[in-house]
Amino acid sequence: MVGRALAGWEAEKQLHSGFRSSKPDSPGYTEEQHAEVARFRAELLELSITVSTHPFWEQVEQGQVVDARMRLKHQHEAPEAT
């Protein structure tokens, strides 16, 4: 096991109910899972740098950069119905 295994827990019984919320023990990460997460994080960092330093941003009016980045961030979302 590479990733830290976390102990499970069980909460106190809820008022007016016999329900007890709980979580089982976490098995942690395997070597393969740890390597995959590290690879994803490295790729995310590389892509973030590529997008944020792209020459396109030099063409955007100084006061409009944040708005332009937010529009890009939400571009995949369906447009609102008017």
Side-chain angles (χ1 to χ4, degrees):
M1 283 293 153
V2 169
R4 189 177 87 167
L6 299 175
W9 54 268
E10 185 172 323
E12 295 292 321
K13 185 173 88 62
Q14 299 296 308
L15 184 63
H16 306 296
S17 170
F19 178 74
R20 288 179 184 255
S21 60
S22 63
K23 289 280 184 192
D25 291 344
S26 165
Y29 289 148
T30 63
E31 290 281 346
E32 294 81 20
Q33 290 169 326
H34 182 71
E36 189 73 355
V37 168
R39 187 182 71 75
F40 283 141
R41 286 182 176 161
E43 183 178 3
L44 177 61
L45 178 59
E46 183 179 327
L47 292 171
S48 297
I49 291 169
T50 300
V51 169
S52 64
T53 61
H54 192 278
F56 168 79
W57 299 114
E58 295 172 10
Q59 301 171 17
V60 178
E61 190 178 322
Q62 182 119 16
Q64 301 300 314
V65 174
V66 172
D67 276 346
R69 287 186 175 170
M70 291 305 287
R71 284 195 309 274
L72 177 62
K73 180 179 177 180
H74 295 284
Q75 184 65 36
H76 68 283
E77 298 171 358
E80 292 183 20
T82 56

